[in-house]
Every structure is written in C-alpha cells, then in structure tokens.
C-alpha cells in the first residue's frame, strides 16, 4: 500500500514539474516573439512602440511576457519564472535573471 501511495505522489509531482516547465517554455517563446515584434515595429516606424498596445497586444497580470520602453532607443522584455524574472535588454542584447 505504501508503494502505491509513493508511486501516486511521484506521478503527481512529475506531472506538476512538467506542467511548470511547459509554462516557462511558453513564456520564453512568447518573449522571443515579442522581441521580434518590437524590432519589426522599430524597423517599420523608426521608433520604439510606447507600449504593447501599439503592437496590438493587451498586457495584463496573466500575460506571458511584458514590454517596457526604457528610453527612445532601449527596451526590455521580461517574464516571470517562479519568484524570479528573466529580462532581455535591447541595448546589450542579453538576458539576465533577477530575483
């Protein structure tokens, strides 16, 4: 009986971990798509969008990733991974983790 309980627990735990990883993978993919949309907007309009609505995106607390215009020449895209965030900076073209 204990083996069955342990097996069920491990199955539930495995499913939870895999679901979580899929969510983070979706956020990462969406963030990369968002970067491409911002860069395309910049190339077409010779400026950065003021906010995500100019990209046709409505952000809310459930969004997979977020856009932030820092200056007229720099933006950041970020998404949550647990209690931390992954942040892309257009000036450095690098990702950093903050928590």
């Amino acid at each position: 009986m204990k083996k069955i309980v342990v097996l069920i627990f491990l199955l539930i735990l495995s499913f939870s971990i895999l679901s979580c990883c899929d969510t983070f993978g979706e956020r990462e993919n969406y963030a990369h798509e968002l970067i491409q949309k911002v860069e395309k907007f910049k190339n077409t309009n010779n400026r950065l969008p003021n906010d995500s609505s100019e990209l046709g995106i409505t952000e809310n607390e459930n969004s997979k990733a977020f856009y932030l215009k820092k200056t007229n020449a720099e933006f950041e895209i970020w998404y949550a991974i647990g209690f931390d965030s992954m942040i892309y900076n257009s000036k450095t073209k690098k990702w950093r983790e903050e928590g």
Side-chain angles (χ1 to χ4, degrees):
M1 182 66 172
K2 287 183 180 180
K3 288 182 181 181
I4 292 174
V5 172
V6 170
L7 180 61
I8 292 171
F9 174 76
L10 290 174
L11 287 172
I12 292 171
L13 181 63
S14 298
F15 179 75
S16 298
I17 290 171
L18 290 175
S19 296
C20 180
C21 292
D22 285 346
T23 299
F24 295 144
E26 288 175 17
R27 290 178 185 177
E28 181 180 10
N29 291 338
Y30 181 78
H32 285 282
E33 291 172 16
L34 194 51
I35 292 167
Q36 291 174 350
K37 287 182 181 186
V38 173
E39 292 293 348
K40 182 178 178 181
F41 182 97
K42 180 182 172 187
N43 290 335
T44 302
N45 298 286
N46 295 315
R47 67 176 180 83
L48 291 174
N50 291 318
D51 56 44
S52 63
S53 67
E54 289 193 273
L55 301 170
I57 298 169
T58 302
E59 291 179 347
N60 61 46
E61 64 273 359
N62 295 322
S63 294
K64 295 177 185 175
F66 301 90
Y67 167 76
L68 174 65
K69 179 180 175 182
K70 294 194 63 139
T71 68
N72 286 334
E74 182 182 4
F75 69 91
E76 290 186 339
I77 302 292
W78 68 273
Y79 64 94
I81 49 169
F83 293 109
D84 296 329
S85 295
M86 291 300 295
I87 303 169
Y88 172 83
N89 181 276
S90 65
K91 189 174 181 180
T92 64
K93 306 264 189 250
K94 293 183 180 180
W95 288 92
R96 71 182 187 277
E97 186 174 345
E98 287 188 8

